[in-house]
Amino acid sequence: MRAIVIMEPGGPEVLDWQEVPDPEPGRGDVVIDVAASAVNRADLLQRQGHYPPPKGASEIPGLECSGTVIEVGADVEGFRPGDQVCALLAGGGYAERVAVPWQQVMPVPAGVSPVEAAGLPEVACTVWSNVFMTARLRKGETLLVHGGASGIGTMAIQLAKAYGSRVIATAGSAEKVRRCLELGADEALNYREEDFSVKKADVILDIIGAAYLKKNLDALAVGGRLVVIGMQGGRVGELDLGKLLAKRASISAAGLRARPVDEKGAICRGVVQDVWPLISAGAIKPVIHATVPMRDAAEAHRLLESGDHIGKILLVR
Ligand SMILES: NC(=O)c1ccc[n+]([C@@H]2O[C@H](COP(=O)([O-])OP(=O)(O)OC[C@H]3O[C@@H](n4cnc5c(N)ncnc54)[C@H](OP(=O)(O)O)[C@@H]3O)[C@@H](O)[C@H]2O)c1
């Protein structure tokens, strides 16, 4: 098959579309003929050599895909050749074929095209697992979403609104602020001009890390839950435990990629049960900024790096 190979750590130019061996599926794997994949911020780090794949995962980048099942292992449950699916991957998505444990495979939600579905697994699983399973956002509570126009942010705004929460989003330009409001955010502010720490939120979905730790703590309501899923603003910060204690608040942090298959399976089951129906009903729409041929993955990486995008950038076969 052909796939994108990272020739050496570096800029987008190190991504090369070339012949590689087909994946070797295990007994519990589904093999997918890939229709599309999508670019995630983690892929940029992997390309630069800062985020190696977990042990046993493919060296080929790509944390999600959509396509058609072409082979199922002896232990696979619930999937057959010909099924239209999307999947959460530990790697290997920028390729013509990928093998993935069946627990991480999901049907394409009704009403979504097979290509659009490629941009759903990472954002749906990340938001569902952190905001709903871990932080237990409830109806009527307020969610503060940083980077509301990111792939993750566009899903977080829509999902929290669909579940009856109030949403405040931050973004770095007037255009992105406008899109956050269009997606349903009750308030959106340009973090370059306004201070979000004066707001009050029951749950904060944070992608900045150290640089926002103090302000996030200030913005937490009593009983608030801060969930850190990204460290774009650094990983080491100072924490005022007194403030945390006074607010009876909590902080959690989680990555998705290295979680064991059974945990990813539980997240995917939750997403299929509780997120897909909202997508099929039109309450949540995939937000796609651009669709780029997979062999031109370098161009897609440049686009994501520019920060000009809103939502997901897809890679199509
Ligand atoms: N832990 C996990 O399991 C997991 C899974 C998936 C993604 N993530 C993380 O989630 C984040 C979003 O991922 P993505 O793939 O959706 O990437 P993305 O679309 O490239 O989003 C990055 C966003 O960060 C925003 N941003 C940068 N500086 C900011 C600041 N100071 N305050 C608020 N927003 C800021 C940018 O928007 P502006 O132009 O508005 O600044 C941009 O929209 C990344 O940090 C990624 O690593 C974590």
Side-chain angles (χ1 to χ4, degrees):
M1 68 169 183
R2 285 168 305 172
I4 289 287
V5 171
I6 301 173
M7 307 288 283
E8 58 183 347
E13 69 284 354
V14 302
L15 300 178
D16 193 40
W17 182 242
Q18 55 180 244
E19 287 286 333
V20 297
D22 275 15
E24 286 175 23
R27 291 176 61 92
D29 286 348
V30 164
V31 180
I32 299 172
D33 185 58
V34 174
S37 183
V39 185
N40 285 279
R41 195 139 275 268
D43 304 347
L44 309 182
L45 296 176
Q46 180 174 343
R47 190 201 71 216
Q48 292 159 352
H50 302 314
Y51 190 47
K55 203 164 170 273
S58 169
E59 293 284 329
I60 296 167
L63 299 177
E64 56 192 334
C65 76
S66 62
T68 308
V69 173
I70 50 173
E71 201 182 318
V72 293
D75 296 342
V76 169
E77 294 174 25
F79 294 99
R80 290 190 303 210
D83 287 349
Q84 295 290 312
V85 295
C86 55
L88 184 66
L89 310 172
Y94 295 12
E96 291 180 321
R97 281 184 278 290
V98 67
V100 50
W102 65 268
Q103 294 91 333
Q104 293 166 221
V105 182
M106 298 170 278
V108 171
V112 170
S113 79
V115 166
E116 285 175 322
L120 290 174
E122 265 289 324
V123 295
C125 291
T126 301
V127 174
W128 183 252
S129 60
N130 286 286
V131 176
F132 290 87
M133 293 171 75
T134 300
R136 303 199 167 275
L137 179 71
R138 288 183 295 265
K139 196 174 169 170
E141 285 191 326
T142 298
L143 172 70
L144 170 60
V145 180
H146 289 305
S150 66
I152 293 287
T154 54
M155 172 57 75
I157 292 171
Q158 296 187 83
L159 193 52
K161 284 311 295 175
Y163 272 94
S165 301
R166 212 177 147 266
V167 176
I168 306 171
T170 65
S173 70
E175 162 69 1
K176 288 186 177 183
V177 163
R178 191 180 60 73
R179 279 296 280 145
C180 291
L181 294 170
E182 272 173 19
L183 287 168
D186 299 275
E187 273 183 69
L189 55 94
N190 184 338
Y191 63 81
R192 299 181 205 276
E193 297 168 355
E194 266 187 83
D195 179 8
F196 69 82
S197 69
V198 298
K199 305 288 175 189
K200 277 287 160 278
D202 301 290
V203 174
I204 302 178
L205 182 63
D206 178 54
I207 59 173
I208 302 301
Y212 272 6
L213 188 55
K214 183 178 177 304
K215 283 184 173 186
N216 277 335
L217 206 50
D218 288 341
L220 271 186
V222 171
R225 291 87 75 198
L226 166 63
V227 279
V228 180
I229 61 160
M231 295 171 292
Q232 295 182 59
R235 50 191 290 176
V236 181
E238 199 176 79
L239 175 65
D240 182 345
L241 287 167
K243 231 177 237 175
L244 196 68
L245 183 148
K247 290 189 175 185
R248 302 187 294 285
S250 65
I251 302 178
S252 63
L256 191 54
R257 189 180 195 181
R259 289 176 83 148
V261 170
D262 59 341
E263 286 185 27
K264 287 183 183 166
I267 294 167
C268 289
R269 283 198 302 281
V271 163
V272 171
Q273 185 184 303
D274 295 315
V275 181
W276 273 197
L278 294 164
I279 295 179
S280 300
I284 297 175
K285 295 191 170 56
V287 180
I288 295 161
H289 181 81
T291 301
V292 176
M294 191 175 279
R295 59 172 63 240
D296 300 329
E299 188 193 315
H301 274 216
R302 283 188 196 99
L303 188 54
L304 195 90
E305 257 160 1
S306 76
D308 291 339
H309 65 291
I310 292 175
K312 298 289 293 189
I313 298 169
L314 303 184
L315 297 171
V316 287
R317 283 270 307 279

PDB file of all heavy atoms in Angstrom, residues 182-211:
ATOM      1  N   GLU A 182     -21.637  31.327  16.381  1.00  0.00           N
ATOM      2  CA  GLU A 182     -22.487  30.631  15.398  1.00  0.00           C
ATOM      3  C   GLU A 182     -22.686  29.161  15.758  1.00  0.00           C
ATOM      4  O   GLU A 182     -23.737  28.582  15.515  1.00  0.00           O
ATOM      5  CB  GLU A 182     -21.828  30.684  14.007  1.00  0.00           C
ATOM      6  CG  GLU A 182     -22.190  31.908  13.204  1.00  0.00           C
ATOM      7  CD  GLU A 182     -21.383  31.977  11.912  1.00  0.00           C
ATOM      8  OE1 GLU A 182     -20.826  30.946  11.466  1.00  0.00           O
ATOM      9  OE2 GLU A 182     -21.294  33.074  11.371  1.00  0.00           O
ATOM     10  N   LEU A 183     -21.647  28.572  16.351  1.00  0.00           N
ATOM     11  CA  LEU A 183     -21.745  27.156  16.731  1.00  0.00           C
ATOM     12  C   LEU A 183     -22.587  26.962  17.984  1.00  0.00           C
ATOM     13  O   LEU A 183     -22.833  25.832  18.401  1.00  0.00           O
ATOM     14  CB  LEU A 183     -20.344  26.566  16.941  1.00  0.00           C
ATOM     15  CG  LEU A 183     -19.549  26.327  15.667  1.00  0.00           C
ATOM     16  CD1 LEU A 183     -18.082  26.035  15.994  1.00  0.00           C
ATOM     17  CD2 LEU A 183     -20.146  25.181  14.864  1.00  0.00           C
ATOM     18  N   GLY A 184     -22.960  28.070  18.629  1.00  0.00           N
ATOM     19  CA  GLY A 184     -23.879  27.962  19.766  1.00  0.00           C
ATOM     20  C   GLY A 184     -23.341  28.466  21.081  1.00  0.00           C
ATOM     21  O   GLY A 184     -24.061  28.475  22.084  1.00  0.00           O
ATOM     22  N   ALA A 185     -22.072  28.904  21.110  1.00  0.00           N
ATOM     23  CA  ALA A 185     -21.529  29.405  22.382  1.00  0.00           C
ATOM     24  C   ALA A 185     -22.374  30.588  22.855  1.00  0.00           C
ATOM     25  O   ALA A 185     -22.775  31.434  22.060  1.00  0.00           O
ATOM     26  CB  ALA A 185     -20.076  29.837  22.196  1.00  0.00           C
ATOM     27  N   ASP A 186     -22.647  30.629  24.170  1.00  0.00           N
ATOM     28  CA  ASP A 186     -23.427  31.739  24.717  1.00  0.00           C
ATOM     29  C   ASP A 186     -22.583  33.003  24.781  1.00  0.00           C
ATOM     30  O   ASP A 186     -23.099  34.109  24.645  1.00  0.00           O
ATOM     31  CB  ASP A 186     -23.920  31.371  26.121  1.00  0.00           C
ATOM     32  CG  ASP A 186     -24.814  30.160  26.083  1.00  0.00           C
ATOM     33  OD1 ASP A 186     -26.012  30.319  25.834  1.00  0.00           O
ATOM     34  OD2 ASP A 186     -24.300  29.023  26.252  1.00  0.00           O
ATOM     35  N   GLU A 187     -21.290  32.806  25.020  1.00  0.00           N
ATOM     36  CA  GLU A 187     -20.341  33.929  25.050  1.00  0.00           C
ATOM     37  C   GLU A 187     -19.066  33.455  24.392  1.00  0.00           C
ATOM     38  O   GLU A 187     -18.674  32.286  24.564  1.00  0.00           O
ATOM     39  CB  GLU A 187     -19.955  34.255  26.506  1.00  0.00           C
ATOM     40  CG  GLU A 187     -20.842  35.202  27.235  1.00  0.00           C
ATOM     41  CD  GLU A 187     -20.271  35.459  28.630  1.00  0.00           C
ATOM     42  OE1 GLU A 187     -19.223  36.101  28.749  1.00  0.00           O
ATOM     43  OE2 GLU A 187     -20.890  34.975  29.594  1.00  0.00           O
ATOM     44  N   ALA A 188     -18.407  34.334  23.665  1.00  0.00           N
ATOM     45  CA  ALA A 188     -17.093  34.001  23.126  1.00  0.00           C
ATOM     46  C   ALA A 188     -16.235  35.246  23.254  1.00  0.00           C
ATOM     47  O   ALA A 188     -16.708  36.349  23.003  1.00  0.00           O
ATOM     48  CB  ALA A 188     -17.198  33.565  21.666  1.00  0.00           C
ATOM     49  N   LEU A 189     -14.992  35.066  23.687  1.00  0.00           N
ATOM     50  CA  LEU A 189     -14.142  36.245  23.849  1.00  0.00           C
ATOM     51  C   LEU A 189     -12.783  36.031  23.209  1.00  0.00           C
ATOM     52  O   LEU A 189     -12.263  34.912  23.157  1.00  0.00           O
ATOM     53  CB  LEU A 189     -14.041  36.648  25.319  1.00  0.00           C
ATOM     54  CG  LEU A 189     -13.575  35.625  26.346  1.00  0.00           C
ATOM     55  CD1 LEU A 189     -12.082  35.761  26.546  1.00  0.00           C
ATOM     56  CD2 LEU A 189     -14.313  35.862  27.649  1.00  0.00           C
ATOM     57  N   ASN A 190     -12.251  37.141  22.697  1.00  0.00           N
ATOM     58  CA  ASN A 190     -10.926  37.132  22.097  1.00  0.00           C
ATOM     59  C   ASN A 190      -9.905  37.225  23.227  1.00  0.00           C
ATOM     60  O   ASN A 190      -9.806  38.266  23.883  1.00  0.00           O
ATOM     61  CB  ASN A 190     -10.790  38.311  21.128  1.00  0.00           C
ATOM     62  CG  ASN A 190      -9.461  38.297  20.406  1.00  0.00           C
ATOM     63  OD1 ASN A 190      -8.490  37.700  20.867  1.00  0.00           O
ATOM     64  ND2 ASN A 190      -9.418  38.947  19.259  1.00  0.00           N
ATOM     65  N   TYR A 191      -9.181  36.130  23.462  1.00  0.00           N
ATOM     66  CA  TYR A 191      -8.275  36.107  24.619  1.00  0.00           C
ATOM     67  C   TYR A 191      -7.119  37.101  24.476  1.00  0.00           C
ATOM     68  O   TYR A 191      -6.418  37.364  25.428  1.00  0.00           O
ATOM     69  CB  TYR A 191      -7.747  34.688  24.867  1.00  0.00           C
ATOM     70  CG  TYR A 191      -6.903  34.130  23.739  1.00  0.00           C
ATOM     71  CD1 TYR A 191      -5.563  34.474  23.602  1.00  0.00           C
ATOM     72  CD2 TYR A 191      -7.460  33.263  22.810  1.00  0.00           C
ATOM     73  CE1 TYR A 191      -4.796  33.975  22.554  1.00  0.00           C
ATOM     74  CE2 TYR A 191      -6.700  32.771  21.757  1.00  0.00           C
ATOM     75  CZ  TYR A 191      -5.367  33.125  21.649  1.00  0.00           C
ATOM     76  OH  TYR A 191      -4.620  32.638  20.613  1.00  0.00           O
ATOM     77  N   ARG A 192      -6.912  37.631  23.279  1.00  0.00           N
ATOM     78  CA  ARG A 192      -5.859  38.646  23.110  1.00  0.00           C
ATOM     79  C   ARG A 192      -6.309  40.007  23.634  1.00  0.00           C
ATOM     80  O   ARG A 192      -5.508  40.890  23.876  1.00  0.00           O
ATOM     81  CB  ARG A 192      -5.476  38.786  21.632  1.00  0.00           C
ATOM     82  CG  ARG A 192      -4.930  37.499  21.033  1.00  0.00           C
ATOM     83  CD  ARG A 192      -4.543  37.701  19.563  1.00  0.00           C
ATOM     84  NE  ARG A 192      -4.581  36.446  18.822  1.00  0.00           N
ATOM     85  CZ  ARG A 192      -3.593  35.572  18.785  1.00  0.00           C
ATOM     86  NH1 ARG A 192      -2.485  35.813  19.428  1.00  0.00           N
ATOM     87  NH2 ARG A 192      -3.720  34.440  18.108  1.00  0.00           N
ATOM     88  N   GLU A 193      -7.630  40.172  23.786  1.00  0.00           N
ATOM     89  CA  GLU A 193      -8.163  41.473  24.199  1.00  0.00           C
ATOM     90  C   GLU A 193      -8.883  41.443  25.540  1.00  0.00           C
ATOM     91  O   GLU A 193      -9.003  42.448  26.209  1.00  0.00           O
ATOM     92  CB  GLU A 193      -9.158  41.977  23.126  1.00  0.00           C
ATOM     93  CG  GLU A 193      -8.489  42.218  21.782  1.00  0.00           C
ATOM     94  CD  GLU A 193      -9.495  42.441  20.665  1.00  0.00           C
ATOM     95  OE1 GLU A 193     -10.715  42.315  20.911  1.00  0.00           O
ATOM     96  OE2 GLU A 193      -9.042  42.729  19.540  1.00  0.00           O
ATOM     97  N   GLU A 194      -9.404  40.273  25.914  1.00  0.00           N
ATOM     98  CA  GLU A 194     -10.222  40.197  27.131  1.00  0.00           C
ATOM     99  C   GLU A 194      -9.656  39.153  28.077  1.00  0.00           C
ATOM    100  O   GLU A 194      -9.094  38.149  27.637  1.00  0.00           O
ATOM    101  CB  GLU A 194     -11.641  39.759  26.749  1.00  0.00           C
ATOM    102  CG  GLU A 194     -12.608  40.897  26.530  1.00  0.00           C
ATOM    103  CD  GLU A 194     -14.014  40.354  26.331  1.00  0.00           C
ATOM    104  OE1 GLU A 194     -14.690  40.066  27.332  1.00  0.00           O
ATOM    105  OE2 GLU A 194     -14.412  40.174  25.168  1.00  0.00           O
ATOM    106  N   ASP A 195      -9.887  39.359  29.371  1.00  0.00           N
ATOM    107  CA  ASP A 195      -9.389  38.428  30.383  1.00  0.00           C
ATOM    108  C   ASP A 195     -10.499  37.432  30.738  1.00  0.00           C
ATOM    109  O   ASP A 195     -11.515  37.817  31.309  1.00  0.00           O
ATOM    110  CB  ASP A 195      -8.964  39.232  31.618  1.00  0.00           C
ATOM    111  CG  ASP A 195      -8.457  38.346  32.729  1.00  0.00           C
ATOM    112  OD1 ASP A 195      -8.289  37.129  32.494  1.00  0.00           O
ATOM    113  OD2 ASP A 195      -8.248  38.866  33.843  1.00  0.00           O
ATOM    114  N   PHE A 196     -10.280  36.163  30.419  1.00  0.00           N
ATOM    115  CA  PHE A 196     -11.336  35.166  30.684  1.00  0.00           C
ATOM    116  C   PHE A 196     -11.424  34.812  32.171  1.00  0.00           C
ATOM    117  O   PHE A 196     -12.409  34.229  32.615  1.00  0.00           O
ATOM    118  CB  PHE A 196     -11.096  33.900  29.850  1.00  0.00           C
ATOM    119  CG  PHE A 196      -9.891  33.106  30.266  1.00  0.00           C
ATOM    120  CD1 PHE A 196      -9.963  32.216  31.326  1.00  0.00           C
ATOM    121  CD2 PHE A 196      -8.681  33.233  29.598  1.00  0.00           C
ATOM    122  CE1 PHE A 196      -8.848  31.482  31.723  1.00  0.00           C
ATOM    123  CE2 PHE A 196      -7.562  32.517  29.993  1.00  0.00           C
ATOM    124  CZ  PHE A 196      -7.651  31.635  31.063  1.00  0.00           C
ATOM    125  N   SER A 197     -10.389  35.163  32.960  1.00  0.00           N
ATOM    126  CA  SER A 197     -10.361  34.666  34.345  1.00  0.00           C
ATOM    127  C   SER A 197     -11.428  35.313  35.231  1.00  0.00           C
ATOM    128  O   SER A 197     -11.672  34.852  36.342  1.00  0.00           O
ATOM    129  CB  SER A 197      -8.971  34.853  34.955  1.00  0.00           C
ATOM    130  OG  SER A 197      -8.709  36.223  35.143  1.00  0.00           O
ATOM    131  N   VAL A 198     -12.096  36.371  34.721  1.00  0.00           N
ATOM    132  CA  VAL A 198     -13.177  36.979  35.508  1.00  0.00           C
ATOM    133  C   VAL A 198     -14.495  36.210  35.331  1.00  0.00           C
ATOM    134  O   VAL A 198     -15.470  36.459  36.039  1.00  0.00           O
ATOM    135  CB  VAL A 198     -13.390  38.463  35.117  1.00  0.00           C
ATOM    136  CG1 VAL A 198     -12.132  39.264  35.421  1.00  0.00           C
ATOM    137  CG2 VAL A 198     -13.752  38.605  33.638  1.00  0.00           C
ATOM    138  N   LYS A 199     -14.516  35.276  34.394  1.00  0.00           N
ATOM    139  CA  LYS A 199     -15.726  34.460  34.173  1.00  0.00           C
ATOM    140  C   LYS A 199     -15.789  33.374  35.239  1.00  0.00           C
ATOM    141  O   LYS A 199     -14.818  33.108  35.924  1.00  0.00           O
ATOM    142  CB  LYS A 199     -15.679  33.815  32.788  1.00  0.00           C
ATOM    143  CG  LYS A 199     -15.492  34.803  31.645  1.00  0.00           C
ATOM    144  CD  LYS A 199     -16.737  35.621  31.411  1.00  0.00           C
ATOM    145  CE  LYS A 199     -16.514  36.679  30.350  1.00  0.00           C
ATOM    146  NZ  LYS A 199     -17.631  37.625  30.259  1.00  0.00           N
ATOM    147  N   LYS A 200     -16.947  32.705  35.346  1.00  0.00           N
ATOM    148  CA  LYS A 200     -17.068  31.584  36.285  1.00  0.00           C
ATOM    149  C   LYS A 200     -17.535  30.352  35.521  1.00  0.00           C
ATOM    150  O   LYS A 200     -18.547  30.371  34.832  1.00  0.00           O
ATOM    151  CB  LYS A 200     -18.082  31.900  37.389  1.00  0.00           C
ATOM    152  CG  LYS A 200     -17.499  32.722  38.530  1.00  0.00           C
ATOM    153  CD  LYS A 200     -16.550  31.909  39.422  1.00  0.00           C
ATOM    154  CE  LYS A 200     -15.600  32.777  40.244  1.00  0.00           C
ATOM    155  NZ  LYS A 200     -14.402  33.238  39.525  1.00  0.00           N
ATOM    156  N   ALA A 201     -16.789  29.273  35.673  1.00  0.00           N
ATOM    157  CA  ALA A 201     -17.126  28.054  34.944  1.00  0.00           C
ATOM    158  C   ALA A 201     -17.100  26.845  35.874  1.00  0.00           C
ATOM    159  O   ALA A 201     -16.233  26.742  36.743  1.00  0.00           O
ATOM    160  CB  ALA A 201     -16.137  27.849  33.797  1.00  0.00           C
ATOM    161  N   ASP A 202     -18.057  25.940  35.676  1.00  0.00           N
ATOM    162  CA  ASP A 202     -18.077  24.700  36.466  1.00  0.00           C
ATOM    163  C   ASP A 202     -17.054  23.707  35.923  1.00  0.00           C
ATOM    164  O   ASP A 202     -16.453  22.941  36.670  1.00  0.00           O
ATOM    165  CB  ASP A 202     -19.487  24.085  36.419  1.00  0.00           C
ATOM    166  CG  ASP A 202     -20.520  25.047  36.971  1.00  0.00           C
ATOM    167  OD1 ASP A 202     -20.505  25.279  38.187  1.00  0.00           O
ATOM    168  OD2 ASP A 202     -21.311  25.606  36.171  1.00  0.00           O
ATOM    169  N   VAL A 203     -16.896  23.719  34.589  1.00  0.00           N
ATOM    170  CA  VAL A 203     -15.905  22.839  33.956  1.00  0.00           C
ATOM    171  C   VAL A 203     -15.113  23.678  32.959  1.00  0.00           C
ATOM    172  O   VAL A 203     -15.682  24.512  32.243  1.00  0.00           O
ATOM    173  CB  VAL A 203     -16.588  21.651  33.229  1.00  0.00           C
ATOM    174  CG1 VAL A 203     -15.560  20.818  32.456  1.00  0.00           C
ATOM    175  CG2 VAL A 203     -17.348  20.765  34.219  1.00  0.00           C
ATOM    176  N   ILE A 204     -13.797  23.479  32.935  1.00  0.00           N
ATOM    177  CA  ILE A 204     -12.951  24.144  31.936  1.00  0.00           C
ATOM    178  C   ILE A 204     -12.234  23.072  31.129  1.00  0.00           C
ATOM    179  O   ILE A 204     -11.591  22.187  31.696  1.00  0.00           O
ATOM    180  CB  ILE A 204     -11.904  25.076  32.596  1.00  0.00           C
ATOM    181  CG1 ILE A 204     -12.600  26.147  33.457  1.00  0.00           C
ATOM    182  CG2 ILE A 204     -11.024  25.732  31.524  1.00  0.00           C
ATOM    183  CD1 ILE A 204     -11.641  27.080  34.200  1.00  0.00           C
ATOM    184  N   LEU A 205     -12.367  23.141  29.798  1.00  0.00           N
ATOM    185  CA  LEU A 205     -11.611  22.247  28.917  1.00  0.00           C
ATOM    186  C   LEU A 205     -10.415  23.045  28.417  1.00  0.00           C
ATOM    187  O   LEU A 205     -10.560  23.980  27.625  1.00  0.00           O
ATOM    188  CB  LEU A 205     -12.479  21.774  27.749  1.00  0.00           C
ATOM    189  CG  LEU A 205     -11.792  20.787  26.791  1.00  0.00           C
ATOM    190  CD1 LEU A 205     -11.418  19.488  27.505  1.00  0.00           C
ATOM    191  CD2 LEU A 205     -12.692  20.465  25.595  1.00  0.00           C
ATOM    192  N   ASP A 206      -9.227  22.664  28.894  1.00  0.00           N
ATOM    193  CA  ASP A 206      -8.033  23.488  28.661  1.00  0.00           C
ATOM    194  C   ASP A 206      -7.028  22.815  27.733  1.00  0.00           C
ATOM    195  O   ASP A 206      -6.697  21.645  27.911  1.00  0.00           O
ATOM    196  CB  ASP A 206      -7.338  23.780  29.993  1.00  0.00           C
ATOM    197  CG  ASP A 206      -6.069  24.593  29.780  1.00  0.00           C
ATOM    198  OD1 ASP A 206      -6.162  25.665  29.147  1.00  0.00           O
ATOM    199  OD2 ASP A 206      -4.993  24.150  30.219  1.00  0.00           O
ATOM    200  N   ILE A 207      -6.538  23.582  26.749  1.00  0.00           N
ATOM    201  CA  ILE A 207      -5.538  23.060  25.815  1.00  0.00           C
ATOM    202  C   ILE A 207      -4.212  23.806  25.945  1.00  0.00           C
ATOM    203  O   ILE A 207      -3.300  23.589  25.169  1.00  0.00           O
ATOM    204  CB  ILE A 207      -6.043  23.156  24.356  1.00  0.00           C
ATOM    205  CG1 ILE A 207      -6.360  24.618  23.978  1.00  0.00           C
ATOM    206  CG2 ILE A 207      -7.273  22.299  24.149  1.00  0.00           C
ATOM    207  CD1 ILE A 207      -6.703  24.824  22.514  1.00  0.00           C
ATOM    208  N   ILE A 208      -4.126  24.715  26.934  1.00  0.00           N
ATOM    209  CA  ILE A 208      -2.953  25.587  27.043  1.00  0.00           C
ATOM    210  C   ILE A 208      -1.996  25.137  28.151  1.00  0.00           C
ATOM    211  O   ILE A 208      -0.792  25.260  28.043  1.00  0.00           O
ATOM    212  CB  ILE A 208      -3.388  27.061  27.249  1.00  0.00           C
ATOM    213  CG1 ILE A 208      -4.287  27.507  26.078  1.00  0.00           C
ATOM    214  CG2 ILE A 208      -2.182  27.990  27.371  1.00  0.00           C
ATOM    215  CD1 ILE A 208      -3.633  27.421  24.696  1.00  0.00           C
ATOM    216  N   GLY A 209      -2.515  24.608  29.245  1.00  0.00           N
ATOM    217  CA  GLY A 209      -1.642  24.075  30.290  1.00  0.00           C
ATOM    218  C   GLY A 209      -1.052  25.162  31.174  1.00  0.00           C
ATOM    219  O   GLY A 209      -1.753  26.042  31.665  1.00  0.00           O
ATOM    220  N   ALA A 210       0.280  25.118  31.365  1.00  0.00           N
ATOM    221  CA  ALA A 210       0.952  25.947  32.377  1.00  0.00           C
ATOM    222  C   ALA A 210       0.591  27.429  32.283  1.00  0.00           C
ATOM    223  O   ALA A 210       0.279  28.057  33.292  1.00  0.00           O
ATOM    224  CB  ALA A 210       2.459  25.768  32.255  1.00  0.00           C
ATOM    225  N   ALA A 211       0.612  27.991  31.074  1.00  0.00           N
ATOM    226  CA  ALA A 211       0.399  29.438  30.925  1.00  0.00           C
ATOM    227  C   ALA A 211      -0.992  29.872  31.388  1.00  0.00           C
ATOM    228  O   ALA A 211      -1.198  31.048  31.703  1.00  0.00           O
ATOM    229  CB  ALA A 211       0.623  29.848  29.468  1.00  0.00           C
TER     230      ALA A 211
END
